[in-house]
Amino acid sequence: MLIQSILIIAFGGAFLTYILGKASSALRDFLAVLISVSLTVLIFLAYGKTGEIAFASFMNLPLVLRINHLSWFFAIAIQTVTTLSVIFSLSYMKGKERVDFYYLMMLLCNSAMLGIVLSGDFVSFYIFWEIMSWSAFLLISYNRGGALYAGMKYIVMSIIGSMCMLIGIMSLYSTYGTLNIREIHDLISTASGEYLLFISILFLAAFGVKSALWPIHVWLPPAHSEAPSPFSAVLSSILIKMGIYGFVLILYVISGAALYLGLGGGSFRYILTLLAAITIIIPTFNALMQDDAKRLLAWSSIAQIGYIILGISIGTSLGLIGGLFHFFNHVAFKALLFLAVGAIEYRTGTRDLNSLGGLIKKMPVTFIAVLAGTFGLIGIPLTNGFVSKWLIYKTLILNNHPFLAFAALVGTWGTILYSYKLIHNIFLGQLPENLEHTKPAPASMKLPFIILSVVIVLFGILPGIPLKLINLITASLGFDLLNINIWGIASESGPLNIINIFAAFAVALIVVWFFFLISGKKVVISQDNSYAAGIDVPKGKYHYTVDFYNPMFRMIKPYFRDYMDEFYSQLVKALASLSDRVRRLYCGDLGVYVIYIVLFLSILVISKIGLNLW
Amino acid sequence: MVTVMKILEIIVSPLVALIVGIFFLGLFRKMMARIQWRYGPPLIQPVIDLVRLFNQRGFSHGAVFDLGIILSLAGALVLVLFIPIGGMCPLANSGGLLVILYVMLFAPIGIALSGGEGANPNISIGISRKLILTLSYEVPFIFIILSLMSYYQTISIVEIVKAQAHYHWSLFSPLFLSGVAYFMILPAMLGIRPFDMASAPQEISSGIDVEYGGKYLAFSQIEHALSLFIVIALFVNLFLGGGNLPVFLLKMLAVFVCGVFIHASFPRFRIEQATKYLWFWPTIISFISLIVIQLIR
Amino acid sequence: MDRNQIKKWLESPGKMGHKYSLWAVYFCTGCGIIEIPPVITSRWDAERFGVLPAPSPRQANLFLITGYVSVKTLKAIIKTYEQMPEPKYTVGFGSCPINGGMYWDSYNTIKHLDKYIPIDGWIAGCMPRPEAIFIAVTHLWTLIDKGMAKGYVKYRENYGRYRENQEKALGKLEWPRLFPIKDENE
């Protein structure tokens, strides 16, 4: 009953918001926030519940909703981010056009994602999946212009993925006669290896497109950067994670770990981990070369997805825990970073990293948010990203995958470079003259910043809270239950212990800080008062954060182009020219059409007489 | 008793690192002077400099300026606790090489954040160079660490040292190529010539340190001394077999003296030349080494 | 040289530290700078006294102005001096900073540098030999020892007067005042 009421409120609320928006904008804003908050509360109340309920039927197939730990884990992440994005939108979308439509699509997308994680059969899964894809498309192309192109790219790839999934679903139905996920799981152990491989590849194409796995990632950078910022946060932190949910669903819920590891003689897992490693390396270096803040974050999203898939696809309990925890952490810090960049764009009117700088004193709360977000992204101890990346490295090294571990570690160093570029070019360095009167972010934007920063630090210091739940999830997927306490994993295999590192860090920070306080005085001076051979650094004439890593770009630029994007562009061009040739058959001349008809008939006659085909 | 010993070790090992690091800074200046046919400063000159710096009023550009330098020094101190110093390793059982690989991030990040608030062109250039250089040497370094881990089948650095005491140094084992690669990237990790472009005093006014004065510069110097210690200690532990405290320090001294000679005889690379070098020979050698280790295991 | 007397180090570490760790900004204003390379390289090796060329004034505590000071360079000198952390010592090198030297009637040269920033000591001569720098350094040691090298305190106390002189020579200065100025009429 609770699940149904969640979905009814979600869908009903979305349309109600739209209708109300025609009457009053203040009421609409209030309703949007109210619905999101009440949904958060409802989902929170559903913690620990498990159950399945059939709510309708479609061509004699029962449509089933179900909730378990895995669904709850994804649902709470979805709803929290949407709620914060809606709160952020209050000031961000003020004064823009088609705001009713924006809220409708935002809430519709949210409801569809809730539907995906709560659905217990593949028909409703597919329906919700399509609602999500289309509402996301409409929001990505909200800004028109370049956004329309980005949206088209997204929806074309998304449709190809969905078609693959549809074929998979139909094949499953014709084989087993049911589409209930639980029943399929019970039946699939009898399937042959080849059939399982076929199904897995079909589904992974769909989920790979959505979660932007390396060769099919090209829709993501333009879509993320062109969408309105609050929706970019939703897009990057949860919408692409629906692909991750799909991965977990198909690899562990349906196949189960044992079947998955044996798939194709183990080569399936091998290729998947390899793709994940490539997904870490190439997008990381691509992110280094971006000058648009949101584009940089978009590439970074792909790279982090690589970590998550690497953790999930390695197929050990620790790896799965690490992957799922990294999913959760990525939700927190990527939503935070996109929202923060949105706030910067809202206040300064630009997100071009080359024309920003020195905003630290003007927007301190936003700076702290970005600092927390990037620290999580890099994985500094005492933030949540550390724990999850740690688990992923650990499982890679303990299971002896040195080359995958290499990809993950080099990815981390690349992450440092691009996240430092993000911080430096926006907040540190020199303040351009035209940004001298920048105001701090409004209160409705600060609230999501504070909440998400607290989440990052809290789950970094006490990782046991989410790990306990994730442990239950992995246990329900057939792995051993690990011993988890509030500080992390207590009985870890091997001499790896997070608590000591935390303690050492906290103590060292306090000692150094104390030493810093007692040793010598300091004079606080303004940011601009810096040594430049006895003269003032001319403001507004120089901007020395432009091309921050230029010496390196010169070297890597030829190698780190987006080859896949170029390949797809060529493909599209070839397809267009082929279609153009086909179109030329219809030249509009009646005589030519008569000739076509005569030719066709004569071919029929000749084949009938000469070959005697039928 | 064990706990007391452990606490004692936690206090003593950073002190040892600090003393040895600062001694190395002094020795560095003295040796450079002698190589250049000068008399040179006294050995304790870095200590005199530190005393002077702590008695000067440094300038601060804001909260992050302070915070960053604290973070980087704390990172270096934590790192010392994970490295065995002649049989003394207080946090040996909590992570080993993996933690070392990870905690090595903090010194550059802290310094970069701190310098970033100082709105100075030289700092921006210095940070950019430092981060690029770090990414460059980290690629062969990760290969080296991974081949060590898979050769000895452990991630604990203490175990690696023990294994070398039983058999022979890693440098004279199938890990020979890794050792060579480590030695090739050692100058870049130490930040000495030909890889001192990030803190080139003549070119970009010492880069990241430009805005540091008073205690800030003192903290930066201490961090530099500690990182000198850490990089050389890692090399000695991983490839030269560690040993008890005097032997360990002697080995460190030998490696350090080699470093000084390299510093004295090379001019400075440009940053892209450095990246090209580091991503070519050391990377290839360490990669081959990793493959060899995978094959013979 | 009392560098090795531990008692003195314990009594006044600040003074001793400043004495034996003079990091210098060699401000190259004129021909005097030609005497500096022999001083810091192997011929005379200033580093044995702890004198080192500092890459930036933030790190330095000795300010050496070598050669004549034109009006345009005066601005840079003042800015550099104000960017040095306290305590800091200044030494004028050569006759030009003292009284204008051979540019005594130039329209474009500052005659008395100590009107604009406080100077702790002078090295007279045109040109002084490199050895003179060492004599200056040892004199500076004595001054630091006796607590007489207080130019930076003088600058802080009489900042109003100095700023007035600076603005008389340079017109309006674009940077804000370093210290609050006491109104002397009250």
Side-chain angles (χ1 to χ4, degrees):
Chain A
M1 197 55 224
L2 194 61
I3 322 173
Q4 274 161 307
S5 56
I6 286 171
L7 283 187
I8 289 168
I9 291 176
F11 277 102
F15 288 106
L16 197 63
T17 310
Y18 183 71
I19 295 163
L20 217 59
K22 298 288 171 207
S24 148
S25 63
L27 217 56
R28 173 202 63 208
D29 290 358
F30 175 72
L31 189 69
V33 174
L34 183 72
I35 287 168
S36 322
V37 171
S38 54
L39 276 176
T40 319
V41 173
L42 269 181
I43 294 174
F44 203 79
L45 288 179
Y47 173 69
K49 291 206 169 61
T50 50
E52 210 176 85
I53 187 165
F55 69 100
S57 78
F58 170 78
M59 288 165 54
N60 293 333
L61 280 169
L63 298 188
V64 179
L65 290 179
R66 59 126 212 195
I67 188 163
N68 53 24
H69 289 307
L70 182 68
S71 320
W72 188 85
F73 183 58
F74 276 81
I76 193 76
I78 292 166
Q79 194 51 51
T80 314
V81 169
T82 310
T83 307
L84 295 177
S85 291
V86 167
I87 293 173
F88 184 88
S89 307
L90 294 182
S91 39
Y92 186 84
M93 296 305 292
K94 199 174 272 172
K96 298 211 166 138
E97 52 183 17
R98 292 180 288 132
V99 184
D100 302 336
F101 172 75
Y102 169 82
Y103 278 115
L104 170 68
M105 285 305 152
M106 187 86 161
L107 293 174
L108 204 58
C109 189
N110 175 45
S111 332
M113 285 190 288
L114 286 179
I116 289 172
V117 296
L118 291 177
S119 59
D121 69 311
F122 273 120
V123 177
S124 41
F125 185 90
Y126 184 75
I127 293 169
F128 288 130
W129 186 268
E130 284 300 289
I131 295 176
M132 173 187 80
S133 297
W134 284 96
S135 52
F137 162 65
L138 291 173
L139 267 185
I140 288 170
S141 46
Y142 175 83
N143 284 336
R144 302 300 158 95
L148 208 56
Y149 176 70
M152 284 309 285
K153 211 167 172 178
Y154 161 71
I155 199 67
V156 167
M157 297 198 66
S158 191
I159 285 174
I160 294 172
S162 317
M163 285 307 120
C164 289
M165 182 157 80
L166 196 58
I167 296 169
I169 289 173
M170 289 193 295
S171 160
L172 278 178
Y173 182 62
S174 62
T175 315
Y176 298 114
T178 175
L179 283 177
N180 189 315
I181 290 173
R182 188 171 39 79
E183 288 167 15
I184 291 178
H185 171 64
D186 294 337
L187 291 171
I188 208 149
S189 51
T190 58
S192 71
E194 287 76 27
Y195 181 67
L196 205 58
L197 195 63
F198 168 69
I199 291 291
S200 299
I201 288 173
L202 280 179
F203 275 94
L204 289 194
F207 301 139
V209 166
K210 197 59 86 183
S211 65
L213 198 63
W214 168 65
I216 36 184
H217 65 277
V218 296
W219 65 272
L220 194 145
H224 278 43
S225 51
E226 295 296 341
S229 283
F231 187 65
S232 295
V234 173
L235 201 59
S236 168
S237 56
I238 48 180
L239 196 138
I240 58 174
K241 304 300 173 16
M242 289 303 106
I244 301 294
Y245 177 75
F247 272 94
V248 177
L249 193 71
I250 201 75
L251 297 183
Y252 293 103
V253 177
I254 294 208
S255 300
L259 272 182
Y260 158 60
L261 291 181
L263 212 55
S267 61
F268 182 75
R269 182 187 74 139
Y270 180 73
I271 290 171
L272 196 58
T273 49
L274 204 66
L275 282 182
I278 296 172
T279 312
I280 294 173
I281 294 266
I282 293 183
T284 298
F285 279 92
N286 272 320
L288 266 178
M289 296 192 280
Q290 304 305 320
D291 284 331
D292 179 342
K294 275 167 81 175
R295 218 170 228 283
L296 186 149
L297 288 176
W299 278 109
S300 142
S301 291
I302 306 179
Q304 299 302 314
I305 283 290
Y307 280 100
I308 298 170
I309 295 180
L310 191 57
I312 287 174
S313 61
I314 209 77
T316 62
S317 151
L318 212 57
L320 186 57
I321 289 181
L324 284 175
F325 193 29
H326 199 64
F327 144 74
F328 188 73
N329 299 336
H330 188 238
V331 168
F333 52 64
K334 204 40 78 66
L336 180 57
L337 286 174
F338 265 112
L339 292 181
V341 169
I344 302 282
E345 191 187 2
Y346 176 72
R347 278 306 188 205
T348 64
T350 178
R351 48 172 206 259
D352 178 16
L353 288 175
N354 288 344
S355 51
L356 290 163
L359 287 172
I360 174 166
K361 298 257 162 59
K362 307 283 173 196
M363 308 176 85
V365 178
T366 317
F367 171 72
I368 292 170
V370 172
L371 197 68
T374 47
F375 273 20
L377 189 64
I378 298 168
I380 299 223
L382 307 179
T383 60
N384 56 6
F386 172 71
V387 186
S388 52
K389 276 195 177 178
W390 178 258
L391 292 174
I392 293 171
Y393 297 145
K394 191 176 151 180
T395 189
L396 289 178
I397 287 172
L398 289 184
N399 292 301
N400 206 11
H401 297 290
F403 293 100
L404 298 179
F406 171 78
L409 285 164
V410 167
T412 297
W413 276 97
T415 309
I416 291 177
L417 263 73
Y418 67 68
S419 29
Y420 184 72
K421 180 178 177 178
L422 186 75
I423 286 195
H424 183 95
N425 285 21
I426 294 178
F427 293 104
L428 303 175
Q430 196 185 20
L431 185 69
E433 259 168 354
N434 57 345
L435 298 181
E436 249 160 29
H437 303 293
T438 311
K439 278 178 273 178
S444 69
M445 292 188 175
K446 279 179 190 164
L447 183 69
F449 293 167
I450 293 167
I451 292 175
L452 287 170
S453 308
V454 167
V455 165
I456 288 172
V457 175
L458 180 71
F459 290 161
I461 296 171
L462 304 173
I465 303 169
L467 279 179
K468 206 161 244 172
L469 176 66
I470 297 169
N471 197 23
L472 287 179
I473 293 171
T474 51
S476 73
L477 298 178
F479 288 103
D480 296 336
L481 209 58
L482 295 179
N483 181 12
I484 297 214
N485 61 17
I486 192 117
W487 299 100
I489 298 177
S491 64
E492 291 178 63
S493 49
L496 290 182
N497 195 346
I498 302 173
I499 307 161
N500 280 0
I501 301 164
F502 279 155
F505 239 92
V507 170
L509 271 180
I510 289 167
V511 166
V512 175
W513 185 60
F514 177 72
F515 192 57
F516 181 83
L517 283 186
I518 60 163
S519 67
K521 288 180 213 149
K522 64 175 185 187
V523 186
V524 179
I525 52 174
S526 85
Q527 210 177 337
D528 307 322
N529 183 358
S530 70
Y531 165 70
I535 53 156
D536 275 323
V537 182
K539 273 189 167 185
K541 292 210 175 84
Y542 289 108
H543 190 72
Y544 35 77
T545 49
V546 172
D547 287 343
F548 196 52
Y549 299 121
N550 197 21
M552 194 151 156
F553 292 171
R554 281 204 293 265
M555 285 180 55
I556 66 174
K557 218 164 204 165
Y559 308 105
F560 280 95
R561 291 209 313 266
D562 195 351
Y563 283 112
M564 290 322 292
D565 194 29
E566 286 165 19
F567 170 71
Y568 291 130
S569 303
Q570 290 296 325
L571 206 67
V572 168
K573 233 178 247 168
L575 205 65
S577 74
L578 187 73
S579 313
D580 195 49
R581 295 232 178 97
V582 173
R583 186 190 60 80
R584 270 162 216 271
L585 291 175
Y586 302 95
C587 53
D589 186 354
L590 208 61
V592 178
Y593 288 164
V594 171
I595 292 173
Y596 287 162
I597 293 168
V598 171
L599 273 175
F600 182 65
L601 284 177
S602 57
I603 289 171
L604 282 184
V605 169
I606 290 165
S607 58
K608 172 70 183 158
I609 297 166
L611 304 170
N612 210 2
L613 284 174
W614 56 90
Chain B
M1 196 58 208
V2 178
T3 329
V4 173
M5 279 304 289
K6 193 123 262 189
I7 290 171
L8 211 64
E9 277 186 359
I10 288 179
I11 297 167
V12 168
S13 61
L15 282 181
V16 172
L18 208 60
I19 291 165
V20 173
I22 289 174
F23 166 74
F24 276 174
L25 283 185
L27 188 68
F28 188 84
R29 283 171 70 173
K30 190 81 185 172
M31 277 184 67
M32 281 304 289
R34 286 304 168 90
I35 290 169
Q36 292 167 355
W37 215 255
R38 289 189 281 129
Y39 182 75
L43 265 181
I44 55 157
Q45 184 63 38
V47 182
I48 302 178
D49 287 346
L50 285 181
V51 170
R52 190 265 289 181
L53 288 171
F54 277 123
N55 280 292
Q56 245 179 332
R57 281 172 154 224
F59 290 107
S60 165
H61 283 283
V64 177
F65 197 76
D66 302 2
L67 213 83
I69 192 94
I70 292 175
L71 179 73
S72 84
L73 187 55
L77 276 179
V78 170
L79 197 46
V80 168
L81 297 180
F82 288 95
I83 292 176
I85 304 168
M88 189 166 55
C89 186
L91 295 182
N93 290 327
S94 24
L97 277 174
L98 204 51
V99 174
I100 290 169
L101 210 54
Y102 213 83
V103 178
M104 275 177 123
L105 314 172
F106 300 111
I109 293 181
I111 290 270
L113 278 178
S114 162
E117 206 180 0
N120 191 310
N122 293 321
I123 295 183
S124 288
I125 298 169
I127 294 171
S128 152
R129 289 181 182 181
K130 176 144 186 144
L131 290 178
I132 292 173
L133 183 68
T134 323
L135 182 65
S136 309
Y137 71 67
E138 207 67 19
V139 171
F141 185 64
I142 291 169
F143 275 132
I144 292 165
I145 296 288
L146 287 172
S147 44
L148 273 162
M149 285 196 268
S150 46
Y151 181 70
Y152 288 108
Q153 284 295 299
T154 176
I155 57 166
S156 160
I157 188 166
V158 178
E159 298 285 321
I160 291 176
V161 174
K162 262 184 208 157
Q164 291 179 66
H166 282 296
Y167 303 107
H168 37 62
W169 294 1
S170 314
L171 195 59
F172 305 120
S173 71
L175 285 165
F176 170 71
L177 284 176
S178 290
V180 171
Y182 197 122
F183 195 76
M184 287 170 85
I185 63 169
L186 204 61
M189 296 180 79
L190 292 172
I192 57 176
R193 257 176 251 154
F195 300 103
D196 66 339
M197 63 289 280
S199 57
Q202 302 87 346
E203 190 185 341
I204 49 170
S205 306
S206 79
I208 295 168
D209 288 344
V210 137
E211 285 295 305
Y212 289 155
K215 61 176 169 179
Y216 295 89
L217 188 62
F219 271 54
S220 165
Q221 299 265 357
I222 294 174
E223 197 272 323
H224 183 58
L226 283 179
S227 72
L228 258 178
F229 177 85
I230 288 161
V231 173
I232 298 177
L234 256 185
F235 184 67
V236 171
N237 274 322
L238 294 179
F239 289 100
L240 302 184
N244 58 12
L245 197 57
V247 175
F248 180 78
L249 292 181
L250 267 179
K251 284 175 182 170
M252 279 189 72
L253 189 66
V255 176
F256 177 73
V257 168
C258 290
V260 177
F261 286 140
I262 293 171
H263 178 79
S265 41
F266 279 99
R268 184 179 302 137
F269 275 169
R270 283 210 320 270
I271 179 70
E272 56 256 56
Q273 288 170 327
T275 308
K276 245 175 223 166
Y277 165 78
L278 288 167
W279 280 359
F280 199 68
W281 285 116
T283 306
I284 288 175
I285 293 174
S286 52
F287 184 69
I288 291 172
S289 165
L290 182 53
I291 288 175
V292 167
I293 299 297
Q294 293 298 312
L295 289 181
I296 63 166
R297 224 174 29 79
Chain C
M1 205 156 48
D2 52 355
R3 186 155 62 190
N4 297 327
Q5 291 179 14
I6 293 180
K7 195 162 152 253
K8 272 196 167 180
W9 276 100
L10 293 178
E11 273 170 5
S12 51
K15 265 184 194 171
M16 293 294 279
H18 278 287
K19 270 170 76 175
Y20 295 112
S21 162
L22 288 167
W23 287 21
V25 178
Y26 296 116
F27 201 94
C28 163
T29 55
C31 47
I33 198 68
I34 207 70
E35 303 297 326
I36 298 304
V39 170
I40 58 175
T41 50
S42 38
R43 183 71 178 86
W44 273 283
D45 186 23
E47 204 184 352
R48 61 201 154 116
F49 300 114
V51 180
L52 200 69
S56 119
R58 299 280 191 214
Q59 308 173 2
N61 59 349
L62 172 62
F63 193 20
L64 200 66
I65 296 135
T66 56
Y68 72 93
V69 181
S70 71
V71 176
K72 208 173 162 187
T73 19
L74 180 65
K75 208 184 221 172
I77 287 180
I78 294 166
K79 200 153 173 61
T80 309
Y81 180 71
E82 290 185 351
Q83 281 179 342
M84 283 168 64
E86 292 178 354
K88 48 194 171 187
Y89 315 106
T90 33
V91 171
F93 180 91
S95 4
C96 301
I98 302 175
N99 56 11
M102 62 186 280
Y103 302 100
W104 61 276
D105 60 348
S106 166
Y107 65 97
N108 199 20
T109 308
I110 298 301
K111 271 66 163 194
H112 301 282
L113 183 58
D114 52 353
K115 273 187 185 172
Y116 307 98
I117 57 168
I119 305 288
D120 292 306
W122 303 100
I123 307 173
C126 181
M127 308 286 299
R129 295 266 310 158
E131 293 95 327
I133 290 181
F134 294 109
I135 297 172
V137 165
T138 42
H139 270 288
L140 193 58
W141 286 352
T142 326
L143 291 180
I144 293 172
D145 233 8
K146 294 183 178 159
M148 286 163 69
K150 288 278 179 209
Y152 64 97
V153 183
K154 218 162 83 187
Y155 192 64
R156 199 191 307 155
E157 279 168 0
N158 305 310
Y159 184 65
R161 195 73 62 75
Y162 279 115
R163 179 89 181 187
E164 202 179 288
N165 281 342
Q166 289 164 5
E167 290 193 337
K168 214 182 273 172
L170 298 171
K172 188 138 173 43
L173 297 176
E174 64 257 42
W175 61 85
R177 287 166 177 168
L178 192 62
F179 305 110
I181 294 177
K182 281 168 273 173
D183 200 341
E184 286 175 359
N185 298 333
E186 283 177 15

